[in-house]
Amino acid sequence: MVKDNKKFEFTVDGAIYSIGDKVMDGSQIRETAGKVPASEFVLIQIVEKSGRSIGLEDEVKFAPGETAVFRTFESDRVYNFTVDERGWEWGEGAIAAADLYRYADIDEDRELVLDSDGDTIIPVDGKIDLSGKGVERVRSREPKTVTIKVNGRPRTVEKRRHSYREIAAIAYPNPDFENFNYTTTYLHGVGGAEGDLVEGESIMVKNGMVFNVRRSDKS
């Protein structure tokens, strides 16, 4: 019976590789992933919520049961930036916000801001330009606003508790609470909450929360 000695794993650009060597250098990792000649590729290891470049002769130790994660870029330049004061290296002049959420393990409810550009908010589908002068500084923070849907329409509102009357007023501007009822239901709330919102109640809103408001005559 042939014993399988491939007990270590790593991924490169999402493709998984199984190996028997506990230690490989940067050149070997690139070549295993078909990135040849190795010298034409920047290799970034995602480790401890950060990205660090691995040179051709730099050694990487693998641990059984853990999958090391790498990204490659056909480039000869490494770009530096920070995320929440943690140093990052990247192999191209821009990085997608989605990659930062994923690799830096940032909660999807937080927003990214470009600290080096006056707290400019980075859209979740946006990119951060790393090619300028200086080191870009990115921070994550609790958002001040969220986007909800009210009767099918996206609305940007403050991230706080909103009352029954405030939600009704978004659906029907200048609501008449004396003569009309506003039957309000919600989905996708905090922790997946769903239910009814009635007079006298309020609820914390979150990104992607959905409200349906139906107006009916009290008479």
Side-chain angles (χ1 to χ4, degrees):
M1 179 177 178
V2 178
K3 186 177 181 180
D4 185 3
N5 293 319
K6 295 182 177 180
K7 59 182 179 180
F8 303 105
E9 288 186 343
F10 64 85
T11 67
V12 177
D13 302 334
I16 192 165
Y17 300 90
S18 298
I19 55 172
D21 298 322
K22 184 177 182 179
V23 179
M24 295 177 72
D25 65 28
S27 181
Q28 291 172 315
I29 295 170
R30 289 168 172 84
E31 291 169 356
T32 299
K35 305 299 179 182
V36 290
S39 59
E40 293 188 0
F41 291 86
V42 169
L43 181 68
I44 301 292
Q45 183 179 14
I46 308 299
V47 58
E48 296 180 353
K49 302 179 182 181
S50 183
R52 63 166 183 162
S53 63
I54 304 296
L56 295 174
E57 297 176 356
D58 290 341
E59 290 189 340
V60 177
K61 293 182 179 179
F62 302 104
E66 297 180 8
T67 302
V69 177
F70 299 93
R71 288 286 307 270
T72 62
F73 304 88
E74 192 167 4
S75 172
D76 59 358
R77 181 178 171 185
V78 172
Y79 298 83
N80 294 280
F81 62 105
T82 66
V83 179
D84 292 335
E85 296 300 316
R86 186 185 295 270
W88 270 76
E89 294 177 314
W90 202 240
E92 61 183 1
I95 183 170
D99 282 337
L100 281 184
Y101 277 102
R102 176 184 177 189
Y103 294 133
D105 195 22
I106 296 171
D107 192 289
E108 62 178 10
D109 286 336
R110 296 178 69 81
E111 66 182 7
L112 300 178
V113 296
L114 201 54
D115 187 53
S116 46
D117 189 24
D119 282 1
T120 300
I121 296 174
I122 303 165
V124 293
D125 59 351
K127 286 189 172 183
I128 300 112
D129 182 5
L130 308 174
S131 62
K133 293 182 178 179
V135 176
E136 295 292 2
R137 301 188 304 275
V138 179
R139 286 189 294 108
S140 66
R141 70 181 185 188
E142 288 289 331
K144 296 179 180 178
T145 61
V146 296
T147 300
I148 62 175
K149 279 190 175 181
V150 180
N151 288 356
R153 295 183 178 180
R155 303 292 189 188
T156 300
V157 299
E158 293 181 33
K159 186 181 181 182
R160 59 173 174 78
R161 296 187 73 86
H162 286 254
S163 69
Y164 159 84
R165 292 199 172 199
E166 287 176 316
I167 296 298
I170 295 173
Y172 297 93
N174 303 313
D176 180 355
F177 294 104
E178 293 295 324
N179 297 304
F180 292 92
N181 288 315
Y182 296 86
T183 303
T184 303
T185 60
Y186 60 87
L187 299 169
H188 310 312
V190 176
E194 59 182 63
D196 302 317
L197 185 64
V198 300
E199 180 70 88
E201 291 185 342
S202 65
I203 191 168
M204 188 69 190
V205 297
K206 65 181 287 286
N207 261 329
M209 197 168 180
V210 174
F211 290 89
N212 290 298
V213 184
R214 181 171 54 83
R215 184 172 64 180
S216 59
D217 197 324
K218 286 184 175 179
S219 60

